[in-house]
Amino acid sequence: MPESRFSLDLGKGTFEVTGSEEFIERHLPDLKDLASKVIEVMKQNPQTSGAPAPAMGINARQQLRYSDDLSSAPSELLVDELKAFLDALELRESEIEYTTAIVYYLREKLGRDTVEFDDIEECYRLVGRPVPRIDKSVHNAAYRYKFLNRDKDGNVAITRVGRNFIEHPETARGAKPSKGTKSDDNGDTRKKSSSSAPSPKVKGDLDLFGTAGHIPFKGFCESKSINEKSSNADKFAVSAYYLTQQIGQPTFDENDIYTCFDHMRWAPPSYIRNNLINHKNQFGYYSMEEGRFAVTLKLKIRVERELGERTPGNLDLLK
């Protein structure tokens, strides 16, 4: 595609647009309106006639880039879409969260290959939010929360942690701040006191006694030498394996694991879901499917080959 340019020469009184026919037809009305605004500003501030950029809230280069590169729709539609995206996330009044969401929008929603500080700043302006120090908000999002990273060329990218923060707020974000929170100078909120973990519930329909013909969960744990003194990672592993490979559940959640712990009279850890996510990231034991967990081959190998003795039935899957 030929390079697109917009040139306004107040001295000569010329207005020039260079680009494809489709580009010119699509943006000529907006460019004419922008040129009129520039001329009006220059009339009101004649001392700036020789300045390379007029004193406007959005300069010509930024307006053109956001009309052309970020979306095929007119810029006002882009603004509405961006506002709707941010509003739907119900973000806290935090520069870190808003900056992360904007980078996610540009990268994941609009498919931008590169995102620079100017792009993030312009999005703040487009949606009418106060513009923070972009370098500081990106730095904090990258190094305090691992939501973003920045390459050697200065391009800002969203990380896996950042994507989870936007796509799975119930897991990554946790409880929303309540009254009695403190805010630091970057707009981030922190609770004065830690909140209690959501209380999991015992599921009464889990057949942990083996009434359907499979080995009881207690016997399965004994065969794997799992007891109260075993690590939580291994307790979780045998529980998840039993739920999926013995009972036949395709997936499970923290309530299923809590039920297994309650059945064995094991003291459950706080934040069972967070433990599952940590074991997923650290050991590769689980994958996530629509907010629920599934076991991986690594977990099957751990349970079948590394824990205790083999048990009859489908525990010999990996011979």
Side-chain angles (χ1 to χ4, degrees), residues 255-269:
N255 292 319
D256 295 305
I257 298 296
Y258 180 77
T259 302
C260 291
F261 270 67
D262 181 77
H263 181 81
M264 295 298 295
R265 300 296 188 266
W266 295 334

Side-chain angles (χ1 to χ4, degrees), residues 20-295:
S20 67
E21 182 178 354
E22 184 272 341
F23 168 82
I24 294 174
E25 289 181 353
R26 177 153 53 94
H27 294 290
L28 189 56
D30 290 338
L31 293 173
K32 285 182 178 179
D33 180 65
L34 179 62
S36 299
K37 292 179 180 178
V38 173
I39 293 171
E40 186 62 28
V41 170
M42 289 301 187
K43 287 180 178 179
Q44 296 174 5
N45 301 276
Q47 69 275 15
T48 63
S49 298
M56 300 175 62
I58 302 176
N59 65 42
R61 179 174 175 272
Q62 290 173 323
Q63 178 69 32
L64 179 60
R65 180 174 70 234
Y66 274 83
S67 294
D68 181 35
D69 293 345
L70 289 188
S71 173
S72 59
S75 57
E76 60 269 16
L77 295 183
L78 170 65
V79 175
D80 290 342
E81 180 183 317
L82 179 56
K83 284 182 176 178
F85 172 76
L86 295 175
D87 290 344
L89 294 176
E90 298 182 355
L91 300 173
R92 300 171 183 172
E93 288 299 315
S94 163
E95 295 167 6
I96 291 174
E97 294 197 6
Y98 271 94
T99 298
T100 300
I102 287 170
V103 174
Y104 178 94
Y105 178 81
L106 296 176
R107 284 280 193 169
E108 305 297 324
K109 295 294 186 180
L110 298 186
R112 286 288 297 274
D113 293 328
T114 60
V115 173
E116 301 174 358
F117 284 177
D118 286 347
D119 302 320
I120 301 170
E121 178 179 340
E122 187 61 16
C123 284
Y124 270 96
R125 295 187 189 280
L126 287 172
V127 299
R129 289 193 62 81
V131 179
R133 278 187 52 187
I134 303 300
D135 59 338
K136 180 181 178 182
S137 63
V138 169
H139 177 87
N140 288 335
Y143 292 98
R144 289 175 58 184
Y145 296 94
K146 310 300 181 184
F147 290 163
L148 304 174
N149 60 42
R150 192 174 181 222
D151 64 23
K152 60 182 180 180
D153 297 322
N155 296 316
V156 184
I158 192 86
T159 65
R160 175 183 55 79
V161 177
R163 283 195 298 272
N164 286 339
F165 172 78
I166 299 299
E167 296 172 357
H168 305 290
E170 72 286 351
T171 299
R173 191 176 290 110
K176 291 288 183 182
S178 58
K179 294 182 179 179
T181 58
K182 290 185 177 180
S183 177
D184 64 16
D185 59 2
N186 193 46
D188 190 38
T189 52
R190 295 168 292 131
K191 290 200 172 187
K192 290 182 179 178
S193 59
S194 59
S195 59
S196 60
S199 300
K201 299 178 180 179
V202 172
K203 297 178 68 173
D205 58 346
L206 288 183
D207 183 9
L208 301 181
F209 292 95
T211 57
H214 49 266
I215 182 174
F217 182 54
K218 183 177 181 180
F220 178 77
C221 292
E222 291 174 349
S223 73
K224 294 298 172 183
S225 301
I226 299 297
N227 53 48
E228 178 64 37
K229 296 182 180 180
S230 300
S231 69
N232 280 332
D234 284 343
K235 291 177 184 176
F236 277 48
V238 295
S239 300
Y241 187 99
Y242 187 86
L243 291 166
T244 57
Q245 307 303 307
Q246 290 291 320
I247 295 182
Q249 291 189 180
T251 59
F252 60 94
D253 61 14
E254 57 269 34
N255 292 319
D256 295 305
I257 298 296
Y258 180 77
T259 302
C260 291
F261 270 67
D262 181 77
H263 181 81
M264 295 298 295
R265 300 296 188 266
W266 295 334
S270 300
Y271 296 97
I272 290 178
R273 187 175 185 84
N274 287 355
N275 276 263
L276 287 167
I277 293 173
N278 289 339
H279 299 162
K280 166 184 173 291
N281 297 333
Q282 184 177 359
F283 305 116
Y285 284 170
Y286 313 108
S287 61
M288 290 191 71
E289 300 177 3
E290 298 182 353
R292 291 177 62 83
F293 297 88
V295 300

